[in-house]
Amino acid sequence: MKILIIGGGNMGLTYAKSFVKSKLVENENLHILIKPNHQDLSNFHWGKIHTSPNAFIVEMDLIILAVKPQDFFQLSKEIKQFINPQQVVLSIMAGISIAKIQSLLNTQKVIRSMPNLPSQIGLGMTVYSSANEVTRLELVMVQNLLNSTGKSIYTNDEIKIDAATSISGSGPAYVFYFMNSMIKSAIEMGFTQAEAELMVFQTFKGAVELFGNNKFSCEEWIQKISSKGGTTESAFLLLHEYSIEKRLINAYEKAFEKAIKLGKEVELSRV
Ligand SMILES: NC(=O)c1ccc[n+]([C@@H]2O[C@H](COP(=O)([O-])OP(=O)(O)OC[C@H]3O[C@@H](n4cnc5c(N)ncnc54)[C@H](OP(=O)(O)O)[C@@H]3O)[C@@H](O)[C@H]2O)c1
């Protein structure tokens, strides 16, 4: 299988490295298309670098679109002539619908996905959807590639890609927000920055591992930690009083609405 990744930025290079490292693709079968003025990638050994779109694209089985959404309109004009109907196109671009990609590249086999930043360390979460024209075998091939960067969920419902943007896409930022509030509080209570960071890091890691290794829900774990009249309970009384959970859910919903809105704006503007 020959794969072309278009865009040698954070995600494009992460994908190249993950695919080759996981041995899902041979180094010589992985191609990366970058702009001629892109930073020097001579030390990057995961794939063959190209600086201009030309006939080699026709030979690719899978083309991955890893450019910013606002660059896609220009890119589509450059590569459209080299796309053939048998090729599968996988987009990781936020906001651009399957229908739009099909129309701009004049091809049908399109898969759209939303990865997240921990893909960089093999702990990513990707939600993806596809056009009806993509075969089951092609979907499995793409799923294997996506799973080399973490875990994935397939959905028939494209709107869930925007929903995933607000949960798993933005999610790491929510986690950092919680971690930061705990680090700040620990420092105020007298710990050094390094001590506070270690305490909070280990607390998150431990809680996440407990969740992943047992059947209990988050609510059940909270119950296990909160003894009657104890410290955790007093913290939660205040969290409930301020309706923190409801407000957080409102925030995730806001991100979902914004993902839909941004998608529409991107489609209406240059794309
Ligand atoms: N980063 C994330 O955590 C994340 C998560 C989920 C989804 N995504 C999606 O992944 C995509 C890529 O994100 P990123 O963070 O990797 O962005 P990035 O670091 O900016 O990389 C995009 C690369 O594409 C290059 N490019 C633009 N037009 C091109 C063209 N015509 N031919 C070849 N290369 C071209 C850019 O070059 P120039 O810089 O020179 O323009 C840049 O190097 C985006 O659509 C984003 O929505 C990212």
Side-chain angles (χ1 to χ4, degrees):
M1 177 176 49
K2 291 188 174 179
I3 300 178
L4 168 64
I5 297 172
I6 307 183
N10 295 314
M11 296 305 286
L13 298 186
T14 292
Y15 272 33
K17 214 168 159 178
S18 301
F19 298 168
V20 176
K21 270 187 152 179
S22 61
K23 300 196 189 324
L24 287 167
V25 59
E26 303 283 319
N27 210 325
E28 63 267 25
N29 286 331
L30 185 84
H31 301 255
I32 306 166
L33 175 61
I34 58 173
K35 280 187 179 169
N37 62 352
H38 194 282
Q39 71 180 86
D40 180 28
L41 286 182
S42 52
N43 283 329
F44 189 81
H45 303 298
W46 314 93
K48 185 172 180 337
I49 305 290
H50 301 260
T51 51
S52 72
N54 56 49
F56 80 92
I57 297 177
V58 181
E59 294 162 25
M60 299 295 126
D61 301 301
L62 174 68
I63 297 173
I64 300 179
L65 305 171
V67 301
K68 287 263 153 66
Q70 57 270 29
D71 292 327
F72 180 56
F73 183 61
Q74 175 58 33
L75 173 71
S76 67
K77 289 197 282 187
E78 293 168 14
I79 62 169
K80 189 175 173 180
Q81 59 185 310
F82 304 117
I83 305 288
N84 75 62
Q86 296 314 315
Q87 291 169 323
V88 176
V89 175
L90 166 65
S91 165
I92 63 164
M93 298 179 296
I96 304 182
S97 67
I98 291 173
K100 194 73 182 179
I101 297 167
Q102 287 176 319
S103 123
L104 283 175
L105 293 181
N106 192 25
T107 195
Q108 296 306 307
K109 289 178 183 266
V110 175
I111 301 175
R112 182 180 160 202
S113 70
M114 177 44 59
N116 69 4
L117 202 58
S119 300
Q120 290 185 356
I121 53 163
L123 290 173
M125 181 69 229
T126 303
V127 177
Y128 66 109
S129 189
S130 70
N132 292 334
E133 290 78 3
V134 179
T135 67
R136 203 163 258 279
L137 203 65
E138 288 162 344
L139 267 183
V140 170
M141 167 189 87
V142 166
Q143 186 189 49
N144 288 339
L145 291 166
L146 294 176
N147 286 350
S148 74
T149 67
K151 307 258 185 219
S152 64
I153 293 177
Y154 177 79
T155 173
N156 277 322
D157 188 0
E158 198 182 341
I159 192 74
K160 288 206 186 126
I161 303 286
D162 292 319
T165 309
S166 70
I167 300 294
S168 48
S170 303
Y174 310 147
V175 173
F176 292 131
Y177 178 82
F178 283 118
M179 287 177 72
N180 202 32
S181 69
M182 288 167 68
I183 289 170
K184 279 183 180 167
S185 186
I187 291 169
E188 268 177 33
M189 291 172 190
F191 289 99
T192 65
Q193 177 87 26
E195 286 168 341
E197 286 179 4
L198 175 64
M199 282 163 74
V200 172
F201 169 74
Q202 192 62 12
T203 302
F204 269 75
K205 203 174 170 198
V208 165
E209 288 295 321
L210 274 179
F211 183 78
N213 288 315
N214 292 277
K215 289 195 303 282
F216 302 116
S217 68
C218 290
E219 277 166 4
E220 285 168 326
W221 278 116
I222 292 171
Q223 285 307 319
K224 282 181 190 298
I225 300 166
S226 314
S227 40
K228 192 126 192 69
T231 54
T232 315
E233 189 191 65
S234 67
F236 271 85
L237 282 174
L238 202 65
L239 292 174
H240 292 318
E241 191 184 320
Y242 291 157
S243 304
I244 298 298
E245 187 182 68
K246 197 165 150 232
R247 283 163 196 251
L248 286 172
I249 290 170
N250 289 155
Y252 312 147
E253 285 167 354
K254 264 269 175 271
F256 181 27
E257 282 166 25
K258 184 73 178 181
I260 296 170
K261 191 163 168 260
L262 281 178
K264 285 190 181 137
E265 281 171 14
V266 166
E267 297 224 350
L268 286 172
S269 59
R270 278 163 281 176
V271 179

